[in-house]
């Protein structure tokens, strides 16, 4: 087994566990949307790019993939202001929308996104998130959750720390220091 990077305390979720859970999520989503013409999937950059690529390749229903990039300020404050850096390419009015996120931490990003997207009058908006940190309660529903995790810093499978460790094949816990 390759040695763990010195920044990391441990492997929290293995590649095999991720693969199995992503397959399960894809199966559930495919079944839930089988009656719809098409699902409009919105991946949130950068963190969701690996999860989105794996999830969408396992879906068994027609779908379109688009991306948004958001930046959040003041993660440690209660303001949690969010800004759109890159928007969708087309209107989503009347579409069944599925937001795909790597992680919901404070919930600020998702709460903002929900508000913005609902204002564009889609037929429905649901969220699929790989990791959900067990902390404050959220004001938006999470319909599909990969793993509930403790309140620790995580990297890998799309998630970064200062843009490092994004392409690790597993979810790792960072050392506190
Ligand atoms: C991360 C993650 C979510 C958001 C979740 O993005 O991808 O979008 O934080 O945090 P919240 O629930 O506290 O709002 P980040 O701003 O780190 O950007 P990145 O995805 O480009 O790394």
């Amino acid at each position: 087994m390759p040695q763990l990077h010195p920044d990391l305390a441990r492997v929290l979720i293995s590649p095999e566990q991720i693969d199995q859970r992503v397959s399960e999520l894809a199966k559930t989503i495919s079944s839930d949307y089988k009656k719809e013409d098409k699902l409009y999937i919105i991946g949130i950059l950068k963190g969701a790019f690996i999860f989105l690529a794996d999830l969408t390749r396992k879906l068994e229903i027609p779908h379109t993939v688009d991306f948004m990039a958001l930046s959040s300020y003041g993660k440690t404050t209660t303001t949690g202001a969010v800004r759109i850096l890159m928007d969708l390419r087309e209107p989503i009015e009347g579409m069944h929308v599925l937001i795909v996120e790597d992680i919901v931490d404070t919930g600020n990003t998702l709460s903002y996104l929900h508000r913005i997207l609902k204002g564009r009058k889609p037929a429905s908006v649901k969220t699929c998130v790989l990791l959900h940190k067990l902390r404050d309660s959220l004001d938006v529903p999470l319909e599909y959750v990969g793993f509930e995790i403790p309140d620790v810093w995580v990297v890998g499978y799309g998630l970064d720390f200062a843009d490092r460790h994004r392409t690790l094949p597993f979810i790792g816990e960072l050392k506190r220091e």
Side-chain angles (χ1 to χ4, degrees):
M1 189 166 157
Q3 239 189 339
L4 210 55
H5 189 282
D7 291 354
L8 301 183
R10 64 177 171 131
V11 174
L12 200 62
I13 308 170
S14 70
E16 295 75 23
Q17 288 172 301
I18 295 172
D19 185 60
Q20 193 192 331
R21 190 70 189 115
V22 173
S23 297
E24 289 168 3
L25 288 170
K27 210 169 168 192
T28 307
I29 293 166
S30 299
S31 161
D32 288 357
Y33 287 93
K34 66 175 183 287
K35 293 206 179 101
E36 310 305 341
D37 287 348
K38 194 170 73 173
L39 181 59
Y40 196 92
I41 294 181
I42 304 176
I44 308 304
L45 298 172
K46 301 179 190 174
F49 81 109
I50 294 179
F51 175 42
L52 178 107
D54 284 350
L55 181 76
T56 51
R57 284 180 296 169
K58 289 176 192 272
L59 289 178
E60 295 155 6
I61 47 167
H63 60 274
T64 298
V65 175
D66 203 349
F67 295 93
M68 287 180 83
L70 304 171
S71 83
S72 55
Y73 295 112
K75 280 209 161 187
T76 53
T77 71
T78 47
T79 62
V82 181
R83 197 163 57 101
I84 296 177
L85 300 177
M86 188 185 92
D87 209 337
L88 300 171
R89 295 192 183 197
E90 51 187 314
I92 53 167
E93 188 169 348
M95 307 264 199
H96 290 283
V97 167
L98 182 67
I99 300 168
V100 175
E101 262 283 29
D102 54 335
I103 187 165
V104 170
D105 185 351
T106 62
N108 285 334
T109 307
L110 192 60
S111 180
Y112 170 84
L113 192 57
H114 234 256
R115 215 168 43 244
I116 294 290
L117 295 179
K118 284 257 178 183
R120 298 181 186 183
K121 303 201 170 23
S124 66
V125 182
K126 290 187 180 178
T127 301
C128 177
V129 60
L130 182 68
L131 306 174
H132 176 221
K133 274 194 190 175
L134 290 166
R135 43 188 284 166
D136 313 332
S137 58
L138 292 173
D139 60 356
V140 284
L142 296 179
E143 285 80 7
Y144 307 100
V145 178
F147 301 91
E148 302 279 4
I149 61 165
D151 189 9
V152 293
W153 267 102
V154 282
V155 293
Y157 200 68
L159 291 103
D160 73 308
F161 178 72
D163 251 325
R164 299 189 64 195
H165 306 304
R166 265 194 215 279
T167 52
L168 289 172
F170 55 84
I171 304 288
E173 178 182 340
L174 273 187
K175 284 181 184 164
R176 285 207 168 261
E177 66 270 23

